[in-house]
C-alpha cells in the first residue's frame, strides 16, 4: 500500500465502545475433548484462538490465507485449515490439535513414524502434516503411496523434499494394517 | 493479515438468512465454507461489515439422484462429501461430478468448501462452474420474494460476478441430465492450484457411436464457455483430434500466452474426449 499516507494507521481507528463489530463474543469450544470458554472478537481465526487464547502453540501458523497447511487441525475428525475458519464457526464441533496425538510421554505411532523416517528437519510444517495424515488415514486406512503423494501436496515443507513424509505416512498406514490383520 | 472487524450472525434457517441479508444490505455477506471468503478477508480484498453464517443449515447439505434421473446438490454440500458419495446418492450417470472433485484444491480445502460457495464465488476456472455450464445445470435461488431458477448459461456474468442479488442465497444445484460419457480434465502448475485451463466433454453416444456432444472450457474467458465450433465437429462425426483443434482454433491468436493456451486447450479437449469415450 504505497499510496497510504505514512502518518495514518493501516487499520481504521476503532473503538470497541462505539464500533459494534469490535464487540467480543463468548464462545464455547471443544478442543481435544475439553470444553473451553473464550471471549474474542468474531474475526479471530481458530488458529489464533488455539495459540493465543488457549496456549496450544503446537498448531503453527504460516501464511494465514490457506496456502501452506501449517495450521491444519481436525474438525469433527476431518483435516481443515485453522486459519480459514473463524473460531466462532467451530462452536459445536470437536477440534483436535497436534497436542492430542500423544500423552506427552510416548509418541503416537504416526509421530514415531515421522521420527523414524526423518520426515522433519526444522519441524515448522510437522504439526500440520501430522494432523493432515491423522485425519486422512482415519478415513482412508488402505491408501497406497499414490494417494498419499496426492495428499501431501496440500501442505508446504521447505526442508524434507516430501519423500520422507510420504514414507512416514505410508509406513504408519502399513503398520496399522498389519495390526488390524492380526486382531 | 488479520481480517477487518465484522459482526457475526448465525443463520437458523435459509429464510432467516435471506431476511437478514436483505435487512443488512450490501455490507453483509453469506459465509459458507469460508475457503474463498476468509482468504479474501485475510488479504482485505473483502471487508464485509456483517457475516451471515449459513454453515449450520443442514437442510442445504444434501445430495441425491431423483427418480427422473436428475442429480440435486444442496448448496452446502462440501466438495469432500461429493468426492466420497456412494452410488446410491450419486448414480453412475454423474460419476463425472464425483471425479471432478479431486481437481479442487486439497483435502483440507475440500472438507470445508461447498458447491454453492464455489458457484457464488464464480472463479473463472472453478471446477463447479465448469461442470454447471457443461452439464446445463439449473441453479435454485432463494430471495426475499421466494425462489427462482437460473440456467447456468445465464448465471455467470464475469469473473467473480453472478446473477445473484446480495440478498439471495443459492440453495440447490440441479443437474437435469445424466452424463454417463463425460470427463473433466485440467492443467495447473502445481497439483491443487486453480487451473490455468480446463476442459469438460459430455458425449452423446448411441451404442458405440458418438452422435455429438458438449464441450466447455475454463480459463479461456471471464466465465466458463461452451466451444461451439468443437461441438459442431462432434455433431458432424469428426474425430476427437479435429474437435480439439476446432476448440483451440476458436481462441484468440494474439495476446500474452495465447499460443500456449491454444496448445493447452487442444491437448485437454482431446484427452477429455478420449476419457469420456472410454467410460
Ligand atoms: C489453497 C486453496 C486452493 C483452492 N483451489 C481451488 C481449486 O482448485 N478449484 C476451485 O474451484 N476452488 C478452489 N479453492 C476454493 C474453494 O473451492 C472454495 O471452497 C470455494 O471457492 C468457495 O466455497 P466456500 O463454501 O468455501 O464459500 P465461502 O468462501 O464461504 O464463500 C465464497 C463466496 O460465495 C458466497 N456464498 C457462499 N455460499 C453461498 C450461497 N449458498 N448463496 C449465495 N452466496 C454464497 C459468499 O458470500 C462469498 O462471497 C481453493 C481454496 C484454497 C484456500
Ligand atoms: S497458516 Fe493456514 S494454511 Fe498457512
Ligand atoms: S521440516 Fe522444515 S518445513 Fe518441513
Amino acid at each position: 500500500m504505497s499510496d497510504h499516507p505514512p502518518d495514518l494507521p493501516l487499520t481504521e481507528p476503532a473503538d470497541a465502545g462505539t464500533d459494534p463489530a469490535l464487540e467480543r463474543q463468548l464462545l464455547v469450544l471443544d478442543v481435544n475433548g475439553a470444553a473451553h470458554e473464550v471471549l474474542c472478537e468474531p474475526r479471530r481465526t481458530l488458529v489464533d484462538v488455539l495459540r493465543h487464547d488457549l496456549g496450544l502453540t503446537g498448531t503453527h501458523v504460516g501464511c494465514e490465507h490457506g496456502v501452506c497447511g501449517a495450521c491444519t487441525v481436525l474438525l469433527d475428525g476431518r483435516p481443515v485449515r485453522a486459519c480459514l475458519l473463524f473460531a466462532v464457526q467451530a462452536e459445536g464441533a470437536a477440534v483436535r490439535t497436534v497436542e492430542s496425538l500423544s500423552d506427552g510421554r510416548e509418541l503416537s505411532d504416526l509421530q514415531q513414524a515421522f521420527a523414524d523416517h526423518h520426515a522433519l528437519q526444522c519441524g515448522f510444517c510437522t504439526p500440520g502434516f501430522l494432523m493432515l495424515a491423522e485425519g486422512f488415514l482415519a478415513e482412508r486406512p488402505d491408501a497406497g503411496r499414490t494417494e498419499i503423494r496426492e495428499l501431501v501436496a496440500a501442505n508446504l515443507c521447505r526442508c524434507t523434499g516430501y519423500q520422507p513424509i510420504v514414507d512416514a505416512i505410508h509406513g504408519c498406514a502399513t503398520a496399522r494394517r498389519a495390526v488390524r490383520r492380526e486382531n | 493479515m488479520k481480517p477487518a472487524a465484522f459482526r457475526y450472525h448465525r443463520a437458523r434457517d435459509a429464510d432467516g438468512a435471506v431476511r437478514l441479508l436483505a435487512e443488512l444490505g450490501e455490507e453483509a455477506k453469506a459465509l459458507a465454507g469460508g475457503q474463498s471468503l476468509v482468504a479474501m478477508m485475510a488479504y482485505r480484498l473483502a471487508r464485509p461489515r456483517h457475516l451471515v453464517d449459513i454453515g449450520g443449515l443442514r437442510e442445504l447439505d444434501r445430495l441425491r439422484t431423483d427418480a427422473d434421473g436428475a442429480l440435486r446438490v444442496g448448496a452446502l454440500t462440501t466438495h469432500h462429501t461429493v468426492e466420497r458419495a456412494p452410488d446410491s446418492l450419486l448414480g453412475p450417470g454423474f460419476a463425472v461430478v464425483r471425479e471432478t472433485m479431486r481437481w479442487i484444491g486439497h483435502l483440507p480445502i475440500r472438507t470445508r468448501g461447498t458447491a454453492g460457495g464455489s458457484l457464488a464465488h464464480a472463479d473463472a476456472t472453478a471446477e463447479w462452474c465448469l461442470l454447471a455450464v457443461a452439464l446445463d445445470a439449473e441453479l435454485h435461488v432463494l430471495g426475499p420474494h421466494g425462489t427462482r431458477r437460473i440456467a447456468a448459461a445465464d448465471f455467470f456474468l464475469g469473473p467473480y460476478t453472478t446473477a445473484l442479488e446480495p440478498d439471495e442465497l443459492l440453495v440447490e444445484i440441479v443437474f437435469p441430465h445424466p452424463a454417463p460419457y463425460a470427463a473433466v480434465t485440467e492443467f495447473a502448475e502445481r497439483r491443487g492450484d486453480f487451473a490455468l485451463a480446463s476442459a469438460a466433454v459430455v458425449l452423446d453416444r448411441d451404442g458405440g457411436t458418438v452422435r455429438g456432444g458438449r464441450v466447455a472450457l475454463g480459463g479461456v474467458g471471464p466465465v466458463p464457455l461452451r466451444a461451439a465450433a468443437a461441438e459442431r465437429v462432434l455433431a458432424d462425426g469428426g474425430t476427437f483430434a479435429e474437435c480439439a483443434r476446432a476448440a483451440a482454433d476458436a481462441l484468440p491468436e494474439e495476446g500474452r500466452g495465447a499460443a500456449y493456451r491454444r496448445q493447452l486447450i487442444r491437448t485437454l479437449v482431446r484427452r477429455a474426449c478420449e476419457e469420456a469415450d472410454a467410460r
Side-chain angles (χ1 to χ4, degrees):
Chain A
M1 294 199 190
S2 52
D3 56 352
H4 193 83
D7 52 331
L8 283 180
L10 277 172
T11 50
E12 290 150 45
D15 170 356
T18 56
D19 187 345
L22 284 177
E23 275 169 19
R24 296 196 287 172
Q25 292 181 321
L26 183 67
L27 313 180
V28 182
L29 295 177
D30 169 357
V31 181
N32 299 333
H36 296 270
E37 287 191 350
V38 181
L39 191 63
C40 68
E41 285 176 46
R43 63 164 155 169
R44 197 125 164 119
T45 56
L46 179 61
V47 71
D48 281 348
V49 163
L50 290 172
R51 291 177 56 85
H52 301 299
D53 298 292
L54 303 183
L56 295 169
T57 52
T59 305
H60 290 171
V61 56
C63 65
E64 291 193 314
H65 55 255
V67 171
C68 74
C71 64
T72 308
V73 299
L74 301 187
L75 193 76
D76 287 335
R78 302 233 162 93
V80 301
R81 308 281 212 224
C83 71
L84 289 189
L85 191 67
F86 295 114
V88 57
Q89 292 176 274
E91 269 198 310
V95 179
R96 270 188 73 198
T97 68
V98 69
E99 283 88 352
S100 73
L101 289 182
S102 97
D103 57 8
R105 283 187 294 273
E106 218 178 303
L107 296 179
S108 77
D109 59 343
L110 180 64
Q111 289 170 311
Q112 190 60 51
F114 269 62
D116 293 345
H117 288 91
H118 304 288
L120 59 148
Q121 289 177 28
C122 78
F124 186 81
C125 67
T126 313
F129 273 101
L130 286 169
M131 298 320 281
L132 178 71
E134 180 78 3
F136 171 76
L137 288 182
E139 194 182 65
R140 306 280 306 155
D142 297 321
R145 288 191 80 87
T146 315
E147 220 181 315
I148 293 170
R149 282 176 67 96
E150 270 180 33
L151 173 81
V152 299
N155 288 18
L156 293 181
C157 174
R158 286 309 200 205
C159 301
T160 64
Y162 289 84
Q163 201 57 44
I165 299 180
V166 173
D167 292 342
I169 299 173
H170 187 247
C172 176
T174 311
R176 285 183 187 179
R177 285 198 287 267
V179 170
R180 221 174 43 201
R181 269 196 303 276
E182 274 169 29
N183 296 335
Chain B
M1 247 195 286
K2 310 291 180 193
F6 59 85
R7 258 199 140 165
Y8 176 84
H9 311 261
R10 187 176 286 154
R12 283 196 195 85
D13 52 46
D15 285 321
V18 165
R19 266 200 312 277
L20 202 53
L21 286 170
E23 195 185 303
L24 297 170
E26 302 258 344
E27 300 267 292
K29 272 203 164 290
L31 174 65
Q35 300 304 289
S36 295
L37 184 54
V38 180
M40 304 252 298
M41 289 173 67
Y43 278 120
R44 302 226 175 172
L45 290 171
R47 29 195 324 164
R49 296 295 286 168
H50 298 269
L51 285 188
V52 177
D53 186 358
I54 58 172
L57 305 184
R58 296 303 18 127
E59 75 261 31
L60 299 185
D61 175 7
R62 57 176 181 217
L63 185 65
R64 66 168 200 267
T65 308
D66 273 355
D68 64 3
L71 174 68
R72 310 178 83 93
V73 183
L76 284 174
T77 312
T78 64
H79 313 320
H80 188 64
T81 298
V82 175
E83 173 179 43
R84 293 271 177 266
D87 272 348
S88 56
L89 297 181
L90 193 156
F94 292 104
V96 63
V97 176
R98 183 194 291 118
E99 282 160 25
T100 300
M101 296 300 110
R102 70 191 162 95
W103 295 108
I104 306 181
H106 312 281
L107 175 65
I109 307 298
R110 297 196 291 267
T111 55
R112 294 286 304 161
T114 66
S118 274
L119 290 159
H121 185 61
D123 189 288
T125 60
E127 287 77 5
W128 276 107
C129 303
L130 182 68
L131 281 172
V133 168
L135 300 180
D136 224 356
E138 193 180 73
L139 308 176
H140 292 202
V141 170
L142 179 69
H145 309 294
T147 52
R148 62 182 181 122
R149 297 160 179 216
I150 310 174
D154 304 324
F155 185 76
F156 304 107
L157 304 181
Y160 311 113
T161 315
T162 69
L164 284 174
E165 297 294 335
D167 57 1
E168 283 183 321
L169 274 191
L170 180 55
V171 289
E172 191 169 58
I173 303 103
V174 180
F175 294 97
H177 313 294
Y181 303 105
V184 168
T185 186
E186 68 177 51
F187 180 76
E189 280 179 336
R190 287 183 325 161
R191 181 85 203 204
D193 284 1
F194 274 99
L196 282 179
S198 53
V201 169
V202 183
L203 296 177
D204 294 334
R205 269 190 14 177
D206 187 355
T209 321
V210 175
R211 297 276 180 230
R214 304 161 64 89
V215 179
L217 307 177
V220 301
V223 300
L225 297 169
R226 295 271 297 279
E231 292 182 358
R232 267 195 308 277
V233 172
L234 287 179
D236 294 344
T239 65
F240 293 153
E242 285 161 354
C243 166
R245 177 186 291 274
D249 285 351
L251 299 178
E253 279 177 68
E254 305 290 323
R256 193 161 55 98
Y260 175 58
R261 200 167 297 273
R262 284 159 63 103
Q263 184 64 42
L264 210 50
I265 286 295
R266 200 165 135 186
T267 305
L268 291 174
V269 170
R270 188 177 41 73
R271 279 190 200 160
C273 285
E274 285 164 2
E275 280 177 36
D277 195 41
R279 286 193 183 274

